[in-house]
Amino acid sequence: MPRTEEAEHFFNAVYEAVQEVPHGRVTTYAHIAKLLGYPKRPRQVGVCLKHLPSFVNEEDREDGMGGEEEAPYFNSRNVPWQRVLNSKGGISVRGPGGTTKHAAKLRKEGVQVQRDAMGEFWVDMSRYGWFPDILPSEEALLESESEDGDS
């Protein structure tokens, strides 16, 4: 089912915001929602990341077809979905093996991922958390606007 224009805008805004989370750092679904001006929509941020299209290399295609289809503009290769965690710094369950894959991707970035007594993965948010007041891209826009006004 196609997304409404409003939903498509929100999905794209989430993907763009997540692209700004630095390598080796993590943030929360709630913080992404807050940065976008929708502090009551952390679950919707999670839904957007759940529906992030996977990037499939031409060689990895099971159907043996060549690269006829162009990869979606936002995909799992250019949106670091693994850098977004739940409010407790935990890796949310996304299906069989999903949390292990998520933890492995974070570890590749140098993020220390712990496992609690229940076997759930979590990250020390005081050490790896990224919680700016505004997105770096917006900060740069504000700075350039203020420089233009100073002329």
Side-chain angles (χ1 to χ4, degrees):
M1 172 180 229
R3 295 182 190 138
T4 65
E5 191 173 311
E6 179 184 10
E8 190 69 26
H9 174 76
F10 187 75
F11 272 69
N12 290 342
V14 167
Y15 299 152
E16 287 174 354
V18 172
Q19 286 178 321
E20 296 192 45
V21 180
H23 182 89
R25 304 294 297 275
V26 294
T27 195
T28 64
Y29 301 108
H31 195 70
I32 294 293
K34 178 183 169 199
L35 289 170
L36 295 175
Y38 298 98
K40 295 183 179 185
R41 290 191 177 179
R43 287 186 180 178
Q44 285 82 355
V45 170
V47 168
C48 292
L49 293 175
K50 179 181 178 182
H51 293 285
L52 177 67
S54 294
F55 180 85
V56 179
N57 286 326
E58 201 173 310
E59 302 85 43
D60 295 338
R61 291 181 58 135
E62 291 179 12
D63 60 10
M65 299 295 290
E68 310 259 335
E69 294 179 41
E70 193 172 307
Y73 184 77
F74 293 111
N75 59 69
S76 60
R77 186 179 216 175
N78 65 19
V79 177
W81 57 269
Q82 71 275 8
R83 298 179 191 159
V84 186
L85 306 173
N86 70 31
S87 61
K88 297 175 188 171
I91 294 176
S92 299
V93 178
R94 290 273 185 235
T99 55
T100 302
K101 177 182 172 185
H102 196 152
K105 287 187 78 69
L106 287 172
R107 287 180 178 129
K108 272 187 171 178
E109 294 190 14
V111 175
Q112 188 175 9
V113 180
Q114 307 289 327
R115 203 163 199 170
D116 67 16
M118 299 294 291
E120 296 179 0
F121 293 103
W122 61 277
V123 172
D124 180 353
M125 298 301 272
S126 65
R127 182 172 178 190
Y128 297 101
W130 181 76
F131 300 102
D133 291 329
I134 62 172
L135 288 165
S137 59
E138 290 179 358
E139 191 171 14
L141 281 173
L142 290 174
E143 287 174 9
S144 72
E145 286 174 6
S146 69
E147 288 173 7
D148 290 344
D150 294 340
S151 327

